[in-house]
Amino acid sequence: VGSEMCIRDSYSTTLYAGVTGDGDEPLNIDIRKLCYEPDWSINPSNFEYSMTMTAILRKHLSQVVIDTSTDTYDLVGVFVGEELRGVGTVEYLPELESLSGFHPYEVFLTIYSNQSSGEELSFKVWNASGCALLGQIEEDFVFSANSSEGTLTNPATLTATSHIVQEN
């Protein structure tokens, strides 16, 4: 299967294991087929400075529908030009679910640079459920060493547009 092919679907089934004299024991199985995700990896030792970001990821599902991501297979890549500077996944935080007004899915990013400040950051979002690489976010961020954007209870927002990036 080539990386350009999009294969996704979810399945649920129950398997039964025969246990001698005790009957069948059910085992519920959930399977999710995923597309090939981007090969984003970064070596922090190549950089002198870093900053952090705690954010919620919002995705345009259409021109009028925006949804906050709950897909722990979604990825966020941070770039300066075409150079990857950070990678994060959507993480589920059950502690936030019990607090009124807080979304329990957040993205944690460490962003790297060899300049202490001033580089404009761009983002790409791997929308795992849609098998699409989204190439724009609505918000603007600039690198600043030793700084942080967002907190657990006041996260920054990353809103991915529906602009799909075609990669060669």
Side-chain angles (χ1 to χ4, degrees):
V1 176
S3 63
E4 69 282 352
M5 182 176 281
C6 180
I7 301 173
R8 63 183 167 95
D9 216 340
S10 295
Y11 303 95
S12 293
T13 191
T14 302
L15 299 177
Y16 292 93
V19 178
T20 306
D22 292 331
D24 292 338
E25 292 293 322
L27 177 62
N28 295 323
I29 304 288
D30 294 316
I31 300 169
R32 178 173 172 186
K33 293 169 56 178
L34 298 171
C35 300
Y36 293 103
E37 64 188 31
D39 183 21
W40 289 338
S41 61
I42 190 164
N43 184 350
S45 65
N46 291 340
F47 300 96
E48 190 174 345
Y49 304 104
S50 67
M51 69 178 282
T52 60
M53 179 179 284
T54 301
I56 57 170
L57 175 61
R58 301 179 75 212
K59 300 181 289 187
H60 279 271
L61 302 180
S62 71
Q63 292 294 336
V64 294
V65 177
I66 300 175
D67 188 30
T68 303
S69 179
T70 59
D71 190 341
T72 57
Y73 292 99
D74 284 352
L75 297 174
V76 176
V78 184
F79 296 82
V80 172
E82 292 300 313
E83 184 180 16
L84 181 67
R85 297 295 184 86
V87 179
T89 60
V90 174
E91 295 183 32
Y92 173 61
L93 305 168
E95 309 83 27
L96 291 180
E97 193 152 31
S98 62
L99 300 175
S100 178
F102 293 104
H103 192 270
Y105 291 86
E106 295 187 2
V107 178
F108 300 96
L109 293 160
T110 301
I111 304 164
Y112 300 96
S113 179
N114 284 317
Q115 293 184 27
S116 62
S117 64
E119 291 183 309
E120 291 185 27
L121 304 175
S122 63
F123 296 78
K124 292 181 182 177
V125 173
W126 173 246
N127 179 8
S129 61
C131 294
L133 185 61
L134 308 176
Q136 296 178 350
I137 66 158
E138 295 177 354
E139 298 79 15
D140 293 316
F141 295 97
V142 175
F143 183 86
S144 180
N146 302 317
S147 68
S148 61
E149 290 280 344
T151 64
L152 277 176
T153 56
N154 188 22
T157 300
L158 299 173
T159 308
T161 69
S162 58
H163 174 230
I164 296 175
V165 176
Q166 295 292 88
E167 295 212 340
N168 298 332

